[in-house]
C-alpha cells in the first residue's frame, strides 16, 4: 500500500514538474503488477523457419526479425502488420539484425552462418553492401547511436571487426578492420560469440567468448589491424602464437563468476561454458551476461575498489606443522577484486577482518532485533528449510536480505540453504554469504565451519586445509564434534590425491585450452572482477543465441528464455523469479523489451514472432503460465548437469511441471521424481 501511495503522489505531482513526470514514466514503465498480467497479445506470422533475432528501432515504432529462412521482416508491432520483407542473399541462418542509427530506419545490417554481413536499404529494396571478411559464422552485430556510421561484428573465427560505412571497403581475409583477435589471446579454439556497446560510453565494448569470461575493451586504445594468413595457418596447425601480446596494457578488464575463474573440467566435462548474450543497462553501469551451461550474471563495471582478502596463514589461530603461529592478522591489498584459488593463496573478495575476537566470545549477545516484516520472513524461511524446501527458503532469505542487508543471521542462514539446494554456483554463492556473515560477526563459528565445507566442495583443498586449522585452534570446543571430524577426514582424502600428473592434465581439452593463454591474457583473467548478482532457474545448454535482457527503464527486472520453451522473469533486487510463461513449443531464444512500453517481443524455434503485453484483469487464468516455478527451475538444473545422452532421453520422456504429482513424503529425490510424471506428458526432442 505504501508503494501505491507513493506512485499516486508522483502521478499528482507530475502535472507541475517535468522531472517528476519523467520519474513517473520510469517507475510505471514496467512494474511487478504489469508483469503478473503479461500475456500473449499476438503472433506475427510470415517466417518459415526459426526466428533467431529481433530488434526494435530507437523509437519502438518498428520491429525487425530475421530467420533461418534467410529473410528479414520489418513489422508495425501496433497494427500487427509486416511492412517490408527483405529476401537477403544469405545462404545460412541469420543470427543478428540491427537498424543503423540515424538513417531514418532505412538501413538494416544482418549477419549469418554463411560468414557474410549484408547491408540492406529496405526502402530501395536492395542490398547495398556485402562483407565477406569473416571466415566463420557471424553470431552478433552491434551499433551505437553516438557513432551512426560504425558497426561491429563478432564471429566464431575469433575476431571482432569494425566497419565504417563512410569508408570504401574491399573484403578479404587480411582486411585491416580487426579490432580484437581472440586466438592471439587464448589459442586456436577461441571463438567470439556475442558483443555489445555501452550506451553511455560508446568506447567500451563488451565481448563474450566460448569461455566463462566477459571481456570489456576500451576501443580508443586499440587500432584496427589485420590478421595475416601466416598467423592463421600457424594457428590451424596448432602452433602457439600467444607468447606475444598484441593488445596494449590497460585496454581490457575481465569479469567472471568467482567459482568459474579456475574452472575445474572434472565437474563440467559434458558441457562447455560460453556467453550466448551480453548487454548493458541503460545507465551504462550494469553488464548482464547469459552464460551457456550456467546461470545469468550481473556485473557492475564501475566497482573497481581494491579487494581485501584474509590469508588464513596470517591468523594468530593458524599453526603450521612446526607449531609456530603468526602474531597478527594481516590484511592484504590487491590491485582488483579477485577471487578463486590462485597461486596457492585463497583470495576472498570483500573479506574484511579488523581484529580476531577471543575464541570463547559470544557473537550473538549484541545482535540487534530484526524489523517485524524481516523477522516474519526469516521464520518462514527457517520453517521451509526444516521441511527440506530449500528453493523456498532461499527465495524468502533473498527477500529478507533485500530489506535488511546488515544482518549476519540472514546471510548465514541463506548460506546453509544454498548449500542444501546445490544448484550450479550455489556453493560459491554460499561462500560469499559466509564471508559477509563474518564481516558482520567475526566470531560466527557456524559461518566459519560452512566456509570450510564450501572450500572443500569447490575443491580449493589447500585453502580448506588452512581454514580448518584456524577453525580448530580458534574453536577447540567445536573441533571435536562429529561433523568437524568427518569433514576433516574428507578433506584429508582429497588432499592426498591433490596432485594431478601432467599426462592427465594434457589429456583434458579444457586444460589444453587454458595452457595456450598468453601472459597478458593470464593476467587479465586472474584480475577478473566478480559478479554482483545472479539469476537462476532457466536452462541454457541447447542453443548458443539465447538472450537475457533488462526489462524496465531502470532495469528493475531481468528476462531470459530457456530450453524448456519458457521465458523467465526475475526481480532484480531480490534476484527471485516472479513469473514463468510458456513462450515457444521448444526453446525461447530471443526476448527484446520495447524501449518505452510494457511490451515485449519473443521468438525461438517456432516460425513466429510473439508480442506480449498486460492483459485485462478479468479473472481468467493464463494457460501459458507455469505455476510450479520451483519444480520447473529444479528440472532445468538437472538438464544443465545431465550428460547430453541422458538429456536426450529426458526430452523424449518429457514432463510438464504443473502435471507432476507432489511427493507424499514432502521430498523430491532424483530417483523417484520421474515416477510421478504423468505418462502422457510430451516434450520436444533435443
Amino acid at each position: 500500500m505504501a508503494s501505491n501511495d507513493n506512485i499516486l503522489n508522483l502521478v499528482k505531482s507530475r502535472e507541475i514538474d517535468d522531472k517528476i513526470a519523467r520519474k513517473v514514466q520510469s517507475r510505471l514503465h514496467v512494474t511487478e503488477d504489469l508483469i503478473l498480467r503479461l500475456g500473449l497479445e499476438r503472433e506475427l506470422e510470415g517466417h518459415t523457419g526459426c526466428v533467431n533475432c529481433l530488434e526494435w528501432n530507437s523509437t519502438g515504432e518498428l520491429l525487425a526479425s530475421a530467420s533461418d529462412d534467410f529473410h528479414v521482416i520489418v513489422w508495425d508491432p501496433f497494427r500487427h502488420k509486416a511492412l517490408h520483407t527483405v529476401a537477403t542473399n544469405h545462404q545460412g541462418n541469420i543470427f543478428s539484425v540491427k537498424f543503423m542509427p540515424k538513417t531514418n530506419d532505412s538501413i538494416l545490417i544482418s549477419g549469418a552462418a554463411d560468414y557474410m554481413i549484408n547491408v540492406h536499404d529496405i526502402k530501395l529494396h536492395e542490398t547495398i553492401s556485402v562483407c565477406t571478411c569473416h571466415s566463420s559464422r557471424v553470431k552478433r552485430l552491434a551499433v551505437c547511436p553516438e557513432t551512426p556510421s560504425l558497426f561491429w561484428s563478432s564471429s566464431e573465427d575469433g575476431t571482432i571487426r569494425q566497419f565504417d560505412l563512410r569508408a570504401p571497403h574491399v573484403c578479404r581475409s587480411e582486411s585491416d578492420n580487426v579490432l580484437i583477435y581472440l586466438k592471439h589471446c587464448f589459442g586456436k579454439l577461441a571463438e567470439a560469440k556475442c558483443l555489445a556497446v555501452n550506451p553511455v560510453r560508446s568506447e567500451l565494448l563488451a565481448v563474450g567468448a566460448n569461455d566463462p569470461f566477459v571481456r570489456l575493451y576500451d576501443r580508443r586504445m586499440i587500432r584496427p589491424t589485420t590478421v595475416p594468413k601466416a598467423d592463421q595457418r600457424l594457428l590451424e596447425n596448432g602452433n602457439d602464437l600467444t607468447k606475444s601480446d598484441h593488445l596494449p596494457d590497460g585496454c581490457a578488464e575481465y569479469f567472471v563468476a568467482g567459482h568459474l575463474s579456475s574452472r575445474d573440467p572434472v565437474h563440467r566435462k559434458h558441457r562447455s561454458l560460453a556467453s550466448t548474450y551480453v548487454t548493458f543497462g541503460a545507465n551504462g553501469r550494469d553488464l548482464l551476461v547469459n552464460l551457456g551451461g550456467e546461470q545469468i550474471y550481473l556485473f557492475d563495471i564501475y566497482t573497481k575498489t581494491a579487494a581485501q582478502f584474509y590469508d588464513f596463514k596470517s591468523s594468530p589461530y593458524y599453526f603450521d606443522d612446526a607449531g609456530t603461529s603468526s602474531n597478527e592478522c594481516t590484511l592484504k591489498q590487491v590491485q582488483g577484486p579477485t577471487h578463486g584459488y590462485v597461486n596457492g593463496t585463497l583470495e576472498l573478495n570483500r573479506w574484511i577482518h579488523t581484529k580476531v575476537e577471543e575464541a570463547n566470545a559470544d557473537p550473538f549477545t549484541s545482535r540487534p532485533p530484526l524489523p517485524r516484516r524481516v523477522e516474519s520472513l526469516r521464520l518462514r524461511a527457517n520453517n521451509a528449510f526444516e521441511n527440506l524446501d530449500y528453493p523456498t527458503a532461499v527465495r524468502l532469505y533473498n527477500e529478507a536480505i533485500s530489506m535488511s542487508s546488515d544482518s549476519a543471521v540472514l546471510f548465514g542462514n541463506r548460506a546453509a540453504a544454498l548449500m542444501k539446494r546445490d544448484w550450479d554456483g550455489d556453493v560459491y554463492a554460499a561462500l560469499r554469504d559466509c564471508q559477509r556473515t563474518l564481516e558482520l560477526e567475526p566470531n560466527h563459528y557456524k559461518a566459519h565451519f560452512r566456509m570450510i565445507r564450501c572450500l572443500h566442495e569447490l575443491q580449493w583443498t589447500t585453502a580448506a586445509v588452512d581454514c580448518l586449522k584456524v577453525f580448530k585452534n580458534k574453536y577447540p570446543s567445536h573441533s571435536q564434534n562429529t561433523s568437524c571430524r568427518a569433514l576433516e577426514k574428507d578433506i584429508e582424502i582429497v588432499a592426498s590425491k591433490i596432485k594431478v600428473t601432467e599426462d592427465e592434465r594434457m589429456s583434458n581439452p579444457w586444460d589444453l585450452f587454458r595452457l595456450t593463454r598468453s601472459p597478458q591474457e593470464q593476467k587479465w583473467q586472474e584480475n577478473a572482477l566478480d559478479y554482483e548478482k545472479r539469476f537462476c532457474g532457466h536452462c541454457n545448454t541447447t542453443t548458443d543465441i539465447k538472450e537475457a535482457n533488462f526489462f524496465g527503464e531502470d532495469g528493475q527486472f531481468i528476462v531470459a528464455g530457456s530450453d524448456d520453451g519458457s521465458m523467465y522473469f526475475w526481480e532484480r533486487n531480490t534476484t527471485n523469479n516472479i513469473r514463468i510463461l510458456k513462450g515457444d513449443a521448444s526453446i525461447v531464444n530471443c526476448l527484446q523489451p520495447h524501449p518505452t512500453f510494457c511490451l515485449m517481443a519473443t521468438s525461438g524455434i517456432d516460425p513466429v514472432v510473439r508480442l506480449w503485453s498486460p492483459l485485462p484483469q478479468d479473472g481468467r487464468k493464463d494457460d501459458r503460465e507455469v505455476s510450479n516455478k520451483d519444480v520447473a527451475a529444479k528440472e532445468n538444473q538437472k538438464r544443465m548437469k545431465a550428460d547430453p545422452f541422458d538429456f536426450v532421453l529426458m526430452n523424449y520422456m518429457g514432463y510438464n511441471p504443473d502435471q507432476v504429482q507432489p511427493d507424499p513424503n514432502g521430498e523430491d529425490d532424483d530417483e523417484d521424481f520421474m515416477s510421478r510424471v504423468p505418462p502422457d506428458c510430451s516434450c520436444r526432442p533435443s
Side-chain angles (χ1 to χ4, degrees):
M1 288 298 296
S3 176
N4 291 336
D5 290 340
N6 291 337
I7 291 174
L8 288 174
N9 290 334
L10 287 171
V11 172
K12 293 176 183 178
S13 302
R14 68 178 178 177
E15 303 300 328
I16 58 175
D17 192 324
D18 288 341
K19 291 183 179 179
I20 292 182
R22 288 193 294 271
K23 188 175 182 180
V24 172
Q25 170 69 19
S26 174
R27 285 282 300 276
L28 301 185
H29 174 198
V30 178
T31 65
E32 185 169 341
D33 287 341
L34 291 176
I35 289 178
L36 295 178
R37 290 170 47 196
L38 209 65
L40 182 63
E41 175 185 306
R42 185 64 67 92
E43 291 183 347
L44 305 180
E45 299 180 351
H47 287 292
T48 58
C50 303
V51 181
N52 301 320
C53 49
L54 302 169
E55 182 73 10
W56 295 96
N57 69 340
S58 59
T59 62
E61 297 175 289
L62 301 175
L63 174 68
S65 62
S67 167
D68 288 354
D69 61 11
F70 316 144
H71 284 69
V72 175
I73 299 179
V74 179
W75 308 87
D76 180 337
F78 300 104
R79 292 190 294 166
H80 310 136
K81 177 181 177 182
L83 300 178
H84 306 280
T85 299
V86 181
T88 71
N89 62 351
H90 285 300
Q91 298 301 312
N93 305 346
I94 302 175
F95 290 125
S96 189
V97 64
K98 294 288 182 182
F99 287 97
M100 284 300 296
K102 300 181 180 180
T103 61
N104 294 322
D105 302 317
S106 63
I107 304 298
L108 278 173
I109 54 174
S110 59
D114 58 4
Y115 312 172
M116 292 196 302
I117 299 171
N118 287 349
V119 183
H120 315 277
D121 189 320
I122 59 176
K123 293 184 178 178
L124 295 178
H125 304 286
E126 64 180 32
T127 299
I128 58 178
S129 179
V130 177
C131 301
T132 58
C133 299
H134 286 293
S135 58
S136 189
R137 300 193 301 175
V138 179
K139 298 310 296 289
R140 293 287 177 183
L141 303 170
V143 298
C144 183
E146 292 184 8
T147 56
S149 299
L150 296 180
F151 70 89
W152 297 266
S153 62
S154 61
S155 167
E156 290 176 342
D157 61 14
T159 63
I160 304 296
R161 293 181 182 265
Q162 177 174 291
F163 298 87
D164 190 338
L165 294 181
R166 299 166 300 182
H169 175 71
V170 178
C171 288
R172 59 185 189 277
S173 59
E174 296 183 18
S175 296
D176 58 352
N177 62 351
V178 176
L179 198 65
I180 300 156
Y181 189 39
L182 294 179
K183 292 186 177 182
H184 267 305
C185 300
F186 59 105
K188 65 178 183 178
L189 299 179
E191 299 175 351
K193 292 290 189 179
C194 49
L195 78 165
V197 179
N198 191 309
V200 177
R201 297 178 56 192
S202 61
E203 71 273 12
L204 297 181
L205 189 70
V207 175
N210 55 327
D211 68 356
F213 295 88
V214 180
R215 296 153 171 85
L216 185 64
Y217 296 97
D218 187 337
R219 60 185 180 84
R220 296 172 302 180
M221 303 176 65
I222 306 172
R223 184 169 61 88
T225 184
T226 64
V227 179
K229 288 185 177 180
D231 283 7
Q232 294 182 13
R233 285 195 297 269
L234 286 172
L235 283 166
E236 291 168 359
N237 293 332
N239 297 72
D240 183 14
L241 293 177
T242 60
K243 294 179 181 178
S244 59
D245 299 319
H246 72 293
L247 294 175
D249 288 336
C251 75
E253 192 163 45
Y254 283 28
F255 300 83
V256 71
H259 61 294
L260 303 175
S261 59
S262 53
R263 174 175 173 270
D264 184 359
V266 174
H267 286 115
R268 304 179 183 278
K269 60 185 178 181
H270 298 308
R271 57 190 160 114
S272 60
L273 300 179
S275 299
T276 62
Y277 195 75
V278 292
T279 187
F280 287 97
N283 59 8
R285 183 187 194 104
D286 300 324
L287 178 59
L288 190 70
V289 58
N290 196 343
L291 186 61
E294 247 271 349
Q295 315 289 10
I296 295 169
Y297 292 97
L298 177 66
F299 300 95
D300 184 341
I301 68 169
Y302 292 159
T303 301
K304 301 180 186 297
T305 54
Q308 295 175 330
F309 65 91
Y310 182 67
D311 185 355
F312 296 112
K313 292 185 178 180
S314 62
S315 167
Y317 294 100
Y318 178 86
F319 295 90
D320 59 22
D321 295 336
T324 59
S325 171
S326 303
N327 292 323
E328 60 182 5
C329 179
T330 304
L331 280 172
K332 294 190 176 181
Q333 200 78 10
V334 293
Q335 294 301 313
T338 59
H339 35 67
Y341 190 60
V342 182
N343 296 330
T345 302
L346 179 69
E347 298 174 350
L348 293 175
N349 190 20
R350 293 190 301 273
W351 180 292
I352 303 173
H353 245 301
T354 57
K355 62 179 180 177
V356 178
E357 304 289 348
E358 293 297 325
N360 60 356
D362 184 357
F364 311 118
T365 55
S366 60
R367 178 181 292 168
L370 293 171
R372 182 178 300 178
R373 169 63 175 158
V374 177
E375 177 64 13
S376 173
L377 289 169
R378 184 186 72 86
L379 294 176
R380 289 169 56 196
N382 290 354
N383 184 61
F385 185 93
E386 292 171 359
N387 291 327
L388 310 181
D389 187 359
Y390 304 120
T392 297
V394 171
R395 185 168 61 250
L396 292 169
Y397 286 133
N398 288 344
E399 188 175 350
I401 288 173
S402 71
M403 301 178 185
S404 183
S405 59
D406 58 354
S407 171
V409 65
L410 294 177
F411 284 100
N413 288 1
R414 186 172 69 175
L418 286 167
M419 293 171 70
K420 288 291 187 179
R421 190 178 71 169
D422 195 28
W423 292 356
D424 271 356
D426 274 359
V427 174
Y428 180 71
L431 178 64
R432 286 164 48 117
D433 277 355
C434 290
Q435 293 173 232
R436 179 60 177 155
T437 304
L438 291 167
E439 291 174 10
L440 297 167
E441 287 185 8
N443 248 22
H444 197 300
Y445 68 87
K446 288 185 178 180
H448 194 149
F449 182 76
R450 288 173 188 143
M451 173 171 285
I452 303 169
R453 185 172 294 281
C454 289
L455 294 169
H456 171 60
E457 293 186 15
L458 289 167
Q459 293 195 0
W460 296 345
T461 306
T462 302
V465 170
D466 293 344
C467 192
L468 179 60
K469 288 181 180 180
V470 173
F471 179 84
K472 291 173 64 178
N473 294 324
K474 186 177 180 182
Y475 306 109
S477 61
H478 298 287
S479 63
Q480 296 304 314
N481 63 36
T482 304
S483 298
C484 185
R485 295 179 68 179
L487 179 57
E488 182 177 15
K489 185 175 181 180
D490 290 342
I491 293 174
E492 288 175 350
I493 293 173
V494 175
S496 65
K497 302 177 181 179
I498 196 171
K499 186 175 181 181
V500 181
T501 66
E502 192 65 20
D503 291 341
E504 290 173 336
R505 291 191 64 209
M506 293 299 293
S507 67
N508 190 291
W510 174 258
D511 280 303
L512 286 172
F513 191 60
R514 184 167 53 195
L515 288 173
T516 58
R517 295 182 303 174
S518 70
Q520 183 186 64
E521 177 75 8
Q522 183 174 348
K523 180 182 69 174
W524 282 336
Q525 289 189 11
E526 290 177 356
N527 291 327
L529 296 160
D530 205 356
Y531 66 86
E532 179 187 356
K533 294 179 182 293
R534 70 186 184 118
F535 304 91
C536 308
H538 79 311
C539 179
N540 181 9
T541 59
T542 307
T543 59
D544 62 354
I545 56 172
K546 205 169 279 93
E547 299 175 351
N549 262 306
F550 297 96
F551 197 20
E553 188 166 327
D554 295 329
Q556 309 97 307
F557 303 94
I558 306 297
V559 295
S562 176
D563 289 342
D564 61 0
S566 299
M567 50 185 182
Y568 287 69
F569 299 80
W570 294 270
E571 199 275 320
R572 169 178 168 158
N573 190 31
T574 63
T575 71
N576 285 338
N577 174 243
I578 58 175
R579 202 170 190 215
I580 305 174
L581 288 173
K582 295 297 292 184
D584 193 272
S586 297
I587 300 172
V588 177
N589 283 322
C590 307
L591 303 94
Q592 289 293 325
H594 190 277
T596 55
F597 296 157
C598 187
L599 174 66
M600 186 162 58
T602 68
S603 66
I605 304 302
D606 296 339
V608 298
V609 177
R610 292 184 170 92
L611 296 176
W612 307 80
S613 61
L615 298 179
Q617 293 178 299
D618 54 10
R620 288 184 295 179
K621 185 181 185 303
D622 190 344
D623 58 2
R624 286 182 172 271
E625 182 168 10
V626 178
S627 58
N628 199 334
K629 295 191 290 291
D630 288 340
V631 172
K634 181 176 180 180
E635 284 308 295
N636 279 334
Q637 296 301 308
K638 289 182 181 179
R639 281 185 172 94
M640 290 201 292
K641 292 182 178 181
D643 182 284
F645 181 74
D646 294 337
F647 179 54
V648 171
L649 294 181
M650 287 172 61
N651 281 327
Y652 276 107
M653 294 174 69
Y655 86 104
N656 181 334
D658 289 335
Q659 296 177 353
V660 177
Q661 300 299 316
D663 190 309
N665 299 320
E667 299 181 359
D668 202 11
D669 295 333
D670 294 348
E671 290 80 3
D672 67 352
F673 177 82
M674 294 309 297
S675 67
R676 292 181 281 110
V677 177
D680 59 342
C681 285
S682 61
C683 187
R684 51 108 189 145
S686 174

